[in-house]
Amino acid sequence: MVELTIDGIKTKVLEGTTVLEAAKEMGIVIPTLCYHPGLSPYGACRVCIVEVVKGNRSSLEASCTLPAEQAQVILTNSDKVRKTRKVIVELLLASCPNSKTLQDMAANMGINKVRFKIKDRGCILCGLCVRYCNEQMKSGGIGFVGRGTSRRVATAFDVTPEECRNCGGCEWICPVCERACTAGNLIDGLCGGCQNLVPVETCPICTGCSESVGPHGHKVY
Amino acid sequence: MNSQTLYHYSLYYWVKQLHQSPLDVSNSLCWEGVEKGSQTLDNERERVEAIVGEYGASRDSLISVLQDIQSALHYLPEHALRTVASQLSLPLIQVYGVATFFKAFSLKPRGEHIVNVCLGTACHVRGAPAVLDEVKRRLGIEPGETTEDMKFTLETVNCLGACALGPIVVIDGNYHGQMLLGKVKKVLREIERRTQRDETHE
């Protein structure tokens, strides 16, 4: 057992537990994107970053891949974390403006504008589909191809592989294509329907909003 | 959805698919889609199989196997990747992912000699663009392309870390520093002469 402090509350967890899981057990919400309880942690999206305090210094780490350590001091909702997290979600939105999951996340965090140039790539390379295919379906039909800016999720030689059983799991788990944002016009990179510009109850564009953000307005982490 | 339901979900589909169509892991697709003389193809296939055979069926040797195939055939043909995948019992996508990740591997046929022109900052100010133009003119190809006789492939690189020698041209791992337009001609001709000599010897 290791004892660590999360947001000023002391807790004991089993060795090998990640900080994200420890926080979850305590009921502290850390927003996540590429994390899935049924899949191995990957640490690709960095949305789940937390501040690890070491004396006078602190560093930002992805909590989904950070193992809990003895006497660790974690802040999940400090100014630094919130600010950085906003930038990360803005960057993700800039490469995937039509993702409803991301738009909801932006609304929840109070993002009013995407300050980056929007370039729709249709994929944030979170690796959920690849891990799902490998770990849950034990298939290995899709994977990452290429490197750097030309990295993408694909099948070998762009043909449906023999291993693929057409389970559709890759589409089901995808945060981009699973729940595409139906709003047509983007205002500053945000769909405008879900975010704070329009009250949620009277959201004219996106009917799915009230489900995800709640009828009483936007929850701010 | 928690992990257990996810597991059931996947298991359900797995069983369903298993009943519908038994998995066909045979190598039937292996040699399709390759347009080449059957003799060269047979030759290629034999060499690939010999290389894969050398390493046994160890998954760890994937990169070594690919490196050997690359240096033997100057590229990684589709059938080679499929053979490697089935021999090492790896998913094809993993082999393909590695083959596309490293710049040392090429899925397109490359020439016998790789000409690398450095276009880094130091080489650039020392006249690398002119050198590149000269190489392009002499070989008649653009960067990334291969001459029709499959002798030369032209590539550019951003820095080789030997800036004092700039502009640099690397041909088959040999560094030719302080390149001049006249020197390009000399070096290329020397290589052509050497290949011709090798061919007549054979």
Side-chain angles (χ1 to χ4, degrees), chain A residues 36-38 132 136-137 139-147 152 154-157 159 162-163 165-167 169 172, chain B residues 1 3 6-7 9-10 13-14 17 23-26 29 78 81-82 91-93 96-97 100-103 107:
Chain A
H36 197 287
Y132 184 86
Q136 289 290 336
M137 296 311 290
S139 161
I142 52 173
F144 287 113
V145 170
R147 173 168 63 165
R152 65 200 170 95
T155 57
F157 301 104
V159 273
E162 294 157 43
E163 294 97 335
R165 298 179 215 125
N166 292 321
C167 71
W172 169 76
Chain B
M1 190 175 275
S3 60
L6 190 70
Y7 177 68
Y9 177 85
S10 60
Y13 271 94
W14 188 69
Q17 288 285 327
L23 280 180
D24 181 21
V25 282
S26 72
L29 277 169
E78 182 173 343
L81 294 190
R82 289 189 187 274
L92 179 61
I93 182 67
Y96 187 73
T100 52
F101 184 86
F102 293 106
K103 228 189 160 186
L107 297 182

